[in-house]
Amino acid sequence: MKKTVSTILPLTLGVFLIWYSVNKFSAEQITEIKHYFKNANYWYVVISILCGFASHLSRAYRWNFMLAPLGYKPKLANNAMAVFSGYIMNMAAPRSGEFSRALVVHKYEGVPYDKALGTIIAERVADLLILGIIVVSTFFIQVDVLKGYLTNMVPIKTLTILGVVLLLLGIGFLWFVYKTNNAISLKIKGFISGIMDGILSISKMEKKWAFLFHTLFIWCMYLAMFYINIYALPETSNMQFGVVLSAFVVGSFTIAFTNGGFGSYPFFIAEILTLFDVPNTVGTAFGWIVWIAQFVMLVFFGALSLILLPFYNKNK
Protein backbone atom coordinates (compact mmCIF):
# COMPACT_ATOMS: atom_id res chain seq x y z
CA MET A 1 0.00 0.00 0.00
CA LYS A 2 2.82 2.40 0.91
CA LYS A 3 4.65 1.74 -2.37
CA THR A 4 1.45 2.13 -4.36
CA VAL A 5 0.63 5.45 -2.69
CA SER A 6 4.21 6.76 -3.10
CA THR A 7 4.00 5.98 -6.82
CA ILE A 8 0.44 7.02 -7.67
CA LEU A 9 0.20 10.15 -5.49
CA PRO A 10 3.05 12.11 -7.19
CA LEU A 11 1.76 11.06 -10.62
CA THR A 12 -1.74 12.21 -9.70
CA LEU A 13 -0.32 15.52 -8.48
CA GLY A 14 1.61 15.89 -11.74
CA VAL A 15 -1.49 15.25 -13.85
CA PHE A 16 -3.50 17.72 -11.75
CA LEU A 17 -0.84 20.43 -12.08
CA ILE A 18 -0.70 19.94 -15.86
CA TRP A 19 -4.51 20.22 -16.03
CA TYR A 20 -4.47 23.26 -13.74
CA SER A 21 -1.71 24.98 -15.73
CA VAL A 22 -3.42 24.44 -19.07
CA ASN A 23 -6.81 25.63 -17.82
CA LYS A 24 -5.55 28.80 -16.18
CA PHE A 25 -4.17 30.10 -19.50
CA SER A 26 -6.32 31.82 -22.09
CA ALA A 27 -6.29 30.74 -25.74
CA GLU A 28 -3.93 33.62 -26.52
CA GLN A 29 -1.54 32.56 -23.78
CA ILE A 30 -1.55 28.95 -25.01
CA THR A 31 -0.67 30.24 -28.47
CA GLU A 32 2.12 32.32 -26.90
CA ILE A 33 3.57 29.27 -25.12
CA LYS A 34 3.49 27.29 -28.38
CA HIS A 35 5.36 30.18 -30.01
CA TYR A 36 8.13 29.90 -27.38
CA PHE A 37 8.49 26.19 -28.06
CA LYS A 38 8.53 26.68 -31.82
CA ASN A 39 11.18 29.41 -31.76
CA ALA A 40 13.45 28.01 -29.03
CA ASN A 41 17.11 27.46 -29.89
CA TYR A 42 17.42 23.73 -29.27
CA TRP A 43 21.19 23.68 -29.77
CA TYR A 44 21.47 24.99 -26.22
CA VAL A 45 19.17 22.19 -25.09
CA VAL A 46 21.49 19.64 -26.74
CA ILE A 47 24.49 21.16 -24.93
CA SER A 48 22.59 20.97 -21.64
CA ILE A 49 21.88 17.27 -22.28
CA LEU A 50 25.63 16.68 -22.79
CA CYS A 51 26.28 18.33 -19.42
CA GLY A 52 23.70 16.04 -17.84
CA PHE A 53 25.31 12.99 -19.44
CA ALA A 54 28.73 14.08 -18.13
CA SER A 55 27.35 14.43 -14.59
CA HIS A 56 25.89 10.90 -14.63
CA LEU A 57 29.09 9.45 -16.07
CA SER A 58 31.03 11.18 -13.30
CA ARG A 59 28.61 9.71 -10.74
CA ALA A 60 29.30 6.23 -12.13
CA TYR A 61 33.07 6.80 -11.92
CA ARG A 62 32.81 8.28 -8.40
CA TRP A 63 30.98 5.17 -7.18
CA ASN A 64 34.14 3.07 -7.41
CA PHE A 65 35.87 5.33 -4.86
CA MET A 66 33.40 3.96 -2.31
CA LEU A 67 33.37 0.37 -3.54
CA ALA A 68 37.18 -0.01 -3.77
CA PRO A 69 37.77 -0.07 0.03
CA LEU A 70 35.24 -2.92 0.20
CA GLY A 71 37.30 -4.93 -2.30
CA TYR A 72 35.22 -4.34 -5.42
CA LYS A 73 35.91 -2.41 -8.62
CA PRO A 74 33.03 -2.80 -11.10
CA LYS A 75 33.51 -1.88 -14.74
CA LEU A 76 32.70 1.75 -15.50
CA ALA A 77 30.21 0.62 -18.17
CA ASN A 78 28.23 -1.43 -15.63
CA ASN A 79 28.30 1.42 -13.13
CA ALA A 80 27.06 3.86 -15.77
CA MET A 81 24.26 1.56 -16.91
CA ALA A 82 23.30 0.98 -13.27
CA VAL A 83 23.09 4.75 -12.71
CA PHE A 84 20.99 5.38 -15.83
CA SER A 85 18.68 2.45 -15.16
CA GLY A 86 18.27 3.78 -11.62
CA TYR A 87 17.12 7.16 -12.91
CA ILE A 88 14.51 5.61 -15.17
CA MET A 89 13.25 3.55 -12.21
CA ASN A 90 12.90 6.76 -10.18
CA MET A 91 10.40 7.99 -12.75
CA ALA A 92 8.19 5.00 -11.99
CA ALA A 93 8.55 5.19 -8.20
CA PRO A 94 10.47 7.92 -6.28
CA ARG A 95 13.75 6.73 -4.71
CA SER A 96 13.45 3.21 -6.18
CA GLY A 97 16.49 3.91 -8.35
CA GLU A 98 18.90 3.45 -5.44
CA PHE A 99 17.70 -0.12 -4.93
CA SER A 100 17.89 -0.97 -8.64
CA ARG A 101 21.45 0.42 -8.83
CA ALA A 102 22.51 -1.89 -6.02
CA LEU A 103 20.78 -4.84 -7.69
CA VAL A 104 22.59 -4.24 -11.00
CA VAL A 105 26.12 -4.31 -9.55
CA HIS A 106 25.13 -7.24 -7.33
CA LYS A 107 23.95 -9.25 -10.33
CA TYR A 108 26.68 -8.36 -12.82
CA GLU A 109 29.68 -7.50 -10.63
CA GLY A 110 29.12 -9.68 -7.56
CA VAL A 111 28.96 -6.76 -5.12
CA PRO A 112 26.85 -7.76 -2.08
CA TYR A 113 23.52 -5.95 -2.26
CA ASP A 114 23.68 -4.49 1.26
CA LYS A 115 27.20 -3.12 0.74
CA ALA A 116 26.30 -1.61 -2.63
CA LEU A 117 23.22 0.05 -1.12
CA GLY A 118 25.30 1.35 1.80
CA THR A 119 27.72 3.11 -0.57
CA ILE A 120 24.81 4.65 -2.48
CA ILE A 121 23.33 6.02 0.76
CA ALA A 122 26.75 7.40 1.75
CA GLU A 123 27.18 9.20 -1.60
CA ARG A 124 23.65 10.61 -1.25
CA VAL A 125 24.81 12.16 2.02
CA ALA A 126 27.55 14.01 0.10
CA ASP A 127 24.99 15.15 -2.48
CA LEU A 128 22.66 16.29 0.31
CA LEU A 129 25.43 18.40 1.84
CA ILE A 130 26.17 20.10 -1.49
CA LEU A 131 22.47 20.75 -2.09
CA GLY A 132 22.21 22.19 1.43
CA ILE A 133 25.07 24.60 0.69
CA ILE A 134 23.36 25.66 -2.57
CA VAL A 135 20.03 26.19 -0.77
CA VAL A 136 21.59 28.32 1.97
CA SER A 137 23.62 30.32 -0.56
CA THR A 138 20.52 30.93 -2.66
CA PHE A 139 18.58 32.11 0.37
CA PHE A 140 21.21 34.72 1.26
CA ILE A 141 21.58 35.84 -2.37
CA GLN A 142 17.82 36.33 -2.77
CA VAL A 143 16.96 37.24 0.83
CA ASP A 144 15.53 40.66 -0.13
CA VAL A 145 13.17 39.20 -2.73
CA LEU A 146 12.05 36.36 -0.47
CA LYS A 147 11.59 38.70 2.49
CA GLY A 148 9.54 41.08 0.37
CA TYR A 149 7.42 38.22 -0.96
CA LEU A 150 6.73 36.82 2.50
CA THR A 151 5.96 40.18 4.10
CA ASN A 152 3.54 40.98 1.28
CA MET A 153 1.69 37.76 1.96
CA VAL A 154 1.96 37.73 5.76
CA PRO A 155 2.46 40.74 8.12
CA ILE A 156 5.91 40.99 9.72
CA LYS A 157 4.43 40.56 13.22
CA THR A 158 2.77 37.30 12.19
CA LEU A 159 6.02 36.11 10.59
CA THR A 160 7.92 36.84 13.82
CA ILE A 161 5.40 34.92 15.93
CA LEU A 162 5.47 32.06 13.42
CA GLY A 163 9.27 31.99 13.55
CA VAL A 164 9.30 31.80 17.37
CA VAL A 165 6.66 29.05 17.34
CA LEU A 166 8.61 27.02 14.77
CA LEU A 167 11.81 27.43 16.80
CA LEU A 168 10.10 26.18 19.96
CA LEU A 169 8.53 23.29 18.08
CA GLY A 170 11.95 22.40 16.65
CA ILE A 171 13.53 22.38 20.11
CA GLY A 172 10.66 20.31 21.46
CA PHE A 173 10.98 17.86 18.57
CA LEU A 174 14.73 17.39 19.17
CA TRP A 175 14.09 16.84 22.88
CA PHE A 176 11.43 14.24 22.02
CA VAL A 177 13.75 12.39 19.62
CA TYR A 178 16.73 12.18 21.97
CA LYS A 179 14.85 11.61 25.24
CA THR A 180 12.42 8.92 24.10
CA ASN A 181 12.81 5.47 22.60
CA ASN A 182 9.56 4.88 20.76
CA ALA A 183 9.42 3.66 17.16
CA ILE A 184 9.37 7.16 15.61
CA SER A 185 12.30 8.56 17.59
CA LEU A 186 14.35 5.39 17.04
CA LYS A 187 13.76 5.64 13.29
CA ILE A 188 14.81 9.30 13.25
CA LYS A 189 17.90 8.57 15.34
CA GLY A 190 18.75 5.72 12.97
CA PHE A 191 18.41 8.07 10.00
CA ILE A 192 20.69 10.68 11.62
CA SER A 193 23.16 7.98 12.58
CA GLY A 194 23.19 6.74 8.99
CA ILE A 195 23.99 10.24 7.74
CA MET A 196 26.86 10.56 10.23
CA ASP A 197 28.21 7.13 9.23
CA GLY A 198 28.08 8.22 5.59
CA ILE A 199 30.02 11.40 6.34
CA LEU A 200 32.62 9.46 8.36
CA SER A 201 33.04 6.86 5.60
CA ILE A 202 33.78 9.66 3.13
CA SER A 203 36.33 11.27 5.46
CA LYS A 204 38.14 7.93 5.84
CA MET A 205 38.17 7.20 2.12
CA GLU A 206 41.58 6.69 0.49
CA LYS A 207 40.71 8.91 -2.50
CA LYS A 208 38.48 11.38 -0.69
CA TRP A 209 39.80 14.38 -2.61
CA ALA A 210 39.02 12.71 -5.93
CA PHE A 211 35.60 11.84 -4.53
CA LEU A 212 35.09 15.48 -3.52
CA PHE A 213 36.19 16.70 -6.97
CA HIS A 214 33.68 14.46 -8.71
CA THR A 215 30.94 15.47 -6.26
CA LEU A 216 31.54 19.14 -7.08
CA PHE A 217 31.81 18.34 -10.79
CA ILE A 218 28.46 16.49 -10.72
CA TRP A 219 26.68 19.46 -9.17
CA CYS A 220 28.42 21.95 -11.45
CA MET A 221 27.15 19.92 -14.41
CA TYR A 222 23.65 19.79 -12.89
CA LEU A 223 23.68 23.55 -12.57
CA ALA A 224 25.18 24.01 -16.06
CA MET A 225 22.51 21.71 -17.50
CA PHE A 226 19.86 24.01 -16.05
CA TYR A 227 21.66 27.32 -16.68
CA ILE A 228 22.49 26.73 -20.36
CA ASN A 229 18.81 26.29 -21.14
CA ILE A 230 18.05 29.94 -20.33
CA TYR A 231 19.67 30.82 -23.68
CA ALA A 232 17.19 28.61 -25.53
CA LEU A 233 14.60 31.38 -25.15
CA PRO A 234 15.39 35.07 -25.79
CA GLU A 235 12.92 35.96 -23.00
CA THR A 236 14.98 34.08 -20.37
CA SER A 237 18.49 34.71 -21.71
CA ASN A 238 18.99 37.79 -19.51
CA MET A 239 18.02 36.14 -16.21
CA GLN A 240 20.44 36.92 -13.40
CA PHE A 241 22.40 34.04 -11.89
CA GLY A 242 20.61 34.40 -8.54
CA VAL A 243 17.25 33.93 -10.26
CA VAL A 244 18.52 30.85 -12.09
CA LEU A 245 19.87 29.47 -8.81
CA SER A 246 16.49 29.95 -7.11
CA ALA A 247 14.70 28.08 -9.90
CA PHE A 248 17.37 25.36 -9.87
CA VAL A 249 16.82 24.72 -6.14
CA VAL A 250 13.04 24.51 -6.58
CA GLY A 251 13.46 22.15 -9.52
CA SER A 252 15.86 19.92 -7.56
CA PHE A 253 13.33 19.44 -4.78
CA THR A 254 10.45 18.69 -7.13
CA ILE A 255 12.51 16.00 -8.87
CA ALA A 256 13.62 14.50 -5.53
CA PHE A 257 10.13 14.17 -4.08
CA THR A 258 8.10 13.22 -7.17
CA ASN A 259 8.32 10.82 -10.13
CA GLY A 260 11.11 12.72 -11.85
CA GLY A 261 9.22 16.01 -11.58
CA PHE A 262 6.40 14.95 -13.92
CA GLY A 263 3.95 17.86 -14.16
CA SER A 264 5.22 19.48 -10.96
CA TYR A 265 8.64 20.56 -12.28
CA PRO A 266 7.41 23.00 -14.99
CA PHE A 267 4.63 24.26 -12.71
CA PHE A 268 6.88 25.18 -9.78
CA ILE A 269 9.64 26.54 -12.03
CA ALA A 270 7.09 28.92 -13.57
CA GLU A 271 5.76 29.89 -10.11
CA ILE A 272 9.18 30.71 -8.64
CA LEU A 273 10.15 32.71 -11.74
CA THR A 274 7.06 34.91 -11.37
CA LEU A 275 8.63 36.22 -8.13
CA PHE A 276 11.35 37.69 -10.31
CA ASP A 277 8.96 39.28 -12.82
CA VAL A 278 9.25 36.53 -15.44
CA PRO A 279 5.83 36.12 -17.14
CA ASN A 280 4.09 32.87 -16.25
CA THR A 281 3.83 31.88 -19.92
CA VAL A 282 7.59 32.26 -20.35
CA GLY A 283 8.31 30.40 -17.11
CA THR A 284 5.99 27.57 -18.11
CA ALA A 285 7.63 27.17 -21.52
CA PHE A 286 11.09 27.31 -19.96
CA GLY A 287 10.18 24.76 -17.27
CA TRP A 288 8.81 22.31 -19.83
CA ILE A 289 11.86 22.71 -22.10
CA VAL A 290 14.25 21.95 -19.24
CA TRP A 291 12.17 19.03 -17.96
CA ILE A 292 11.63 17.45 -21.39
CA ALA A 293 15.38 17.66 -22.11
CA GLN A 294 16.16 15.79 -18.88
CA PHE A 295 13.31 13.34 -19.40
CA VAL A 296 14.37 12.43 -22.96
CA MET A 297 18.00 11.94 -21.89
CA LEU A 298 17.15 9.72 -18.91
CA VAL A 299 14.55 7.65 -20.74
CA PHE A 300 16.82 7.10 -23.74
CA PHE A 301 19.96 6.14 -21.81
CA GLY A 302 17.98 4.37 -19.07
CA ALA A 303 16.10 2.17 -21.54
CA LEU A 304 19.31 1.59 -23.53
CA SER A 305 21.10 0.52 -20.33
CA LEU A 306 18.38 -1.97 -19.42
CA ILE A 307 18.61 -3.47 -22.92
CA LEU A 308 22.43 -3.58 -23.09
CA LEU A 309 23.19 -4.86 -19.58
CA PRO A 310 22.43 -8.54 -20.32
CA PHE A 311 24.34 -8.42 -23.64
CA TYR A 312 27.36 -6.62 -22.19
CA ASN A 313 27.53 -9.19 -19.38
CA LYS A 314 26.47 -12.25 -21.41
CA ASN A 315 29.48 -14.28 -20.22
CA LYS A 316 28.52 -13.85 -16.56
Side-chain angles (χ1 to χ4, degrees):
M1 179 65 73
K2 183 180 177 182
K3 290 180 180 178
T4 303
V5 171
S6 66
T7 300
I8 294 176
L9 191 60
L11 283 174
T12 305
L13 175 63
V15 171
F16 169 76
L17 291 175
I18 292 172
W19 173 84
Y20 176 77
S21 297
V22 171
N23 281 273
K24 76 177 181 178
F25 292 126
S26 65
E28 291 79 10
Q29 289 175 314
I30 295 292
T31 302
E32 185 181 339
I33 292 172
K34 290 179 180 178
H35 171 78
Y36 295 139
F37 275 102
K38 184 178 179 181
N39 293 280
N41 188 334
Y42 288 100
W43 283 112
Y44 288 108
V45 178
V46 171
I47 296 171
S48 77
I49 290 174
L50 293 176
C51 290
F53 181 82
S55 72
H56 300 319
L57 200 61
S58 180
R59 181 177 294 278
Y61 187 80
R62 183 186 68 170
W63 198 3
N64 274 349
F65 293 141
M66 307 204 75
L67 290 170
L70 303 177
Y72 302 96
K73 191 176 181 181
K75 295 183 182 69
L76 178 61
N78 277 334
N79 277 5
M81 287 187 281
V83 168
F84 278 111
S85 62
Y87 280 119
I88 200 172
M89 291 300 295
N90 277 338
M91 292 181 180
R95 307 268 60 88
S96 63
E98 282 78 359
F99 302 103
S100 67
R101 275 180 62 186
L103 283 170
V104 168
V105 293
H106 169 65
K107 181 176 181 179
Y108 295 113
E109 293 286 352
V111 181
Y113 174 78
D114 56 340
K115 291 185 178 180
L117 187 60
T119 59
I120 293 168
I121 293 171
E123 73 171 33
R124 287 301 186 191
V125 171
D127 291 330
L128 187 62
L129 289 173
I130 298 297
L131 179 58
I133 292 171
I134 294 173
V135 170
V136 172
S137 301
T138 302
F139 176 80
F140 282 108
I141 291 172
Q142 300 294 353
V143 65
D144 292 334
V145 175
L146 295 173
K147 183 174 69 174
Y149 174 70
L150 289 172
T151 53
N152 284 335
M153 291 186 64
V154 186
I156 189 67
K157 183 179 178 180
T158 306
L159 279 175
T160 303
I161 294 172
L162 183 63
V164 172
V165 170
L166 288 175
L167 179 62
L168 293 174
L169 286 174
I171 294 171
F173 177 74
L174 291 174
W175 181 88
F176 168 78
V177 168
Y178 285 98
K179 293 294 183 180
T180 60
N181 290 310
N182 59 41
I184 296 175
S185 60
L186 287 174
K187 194 169 184 178
I188 294 171
K189 280 190 270 192
F191 175 74
I192 295 172
S193 176
I195 290 177
M196 295 306 299
D197 289 343
I199 294 172
L200 289 174
S201 69
I202 294 169
S203 67
K204 295 176 182 178
M205 195 184 305
E206 183 180 349
K207 295 183 178 180
K208 54 180 173 288
W209 294 114
F211 178 90
L212 178 61
F213 169 80
H214 278 276
T215 301
L216 294 174
F217 177 79
I218 288 167
W219 281 93
C220 284
M221 288 297 99
Y222 281 169
L223 186 54
M225 180 171 58
F226 187 89
Y227 185 81
I228 288 169
N229 279 303
I230 73 172
Y231 297 106
L233 295 174
E235 294 79 8
T236 58
S237 60
N238 293 320
M239 282 200 301
Q240 294 181 352
F241 183 72
V243 177
V244 177
L245 207 57
S246 301
F248 173 77
V249 168
V250 170
S252 299
F253 280 111
T254 57
I255 286 177
F257 293 109
T258 62
N259 304 59
F262 173 73
S264 58
Y265 187 94
F267 177 83
F268 286 110
I269 290 294
E271 290 299 308
I272 191 67
L273 289 179
T274 57
L275 295 182
F276 303 97
D277 301 321
V278 177
N280 201 254
T281 50
V282 175
T284 298
F286 173 75
W288 275 109
I289 287 171
V290 176
W291 185 81
I292 290 172
Q294 296 179 43
F295 176 78
V296 169
M297 175 188 66
L298 294 178
V299 168
F300 176 78
F301 287 109
L304 189 64
S305 297
L306 291 172
I307 293 169
L308 291 180
L309 272 168
F311 294 99
Y312 182 75
N313 298 280
K314 61 182 178 181
N315 294 326
K316 293 186 178 182

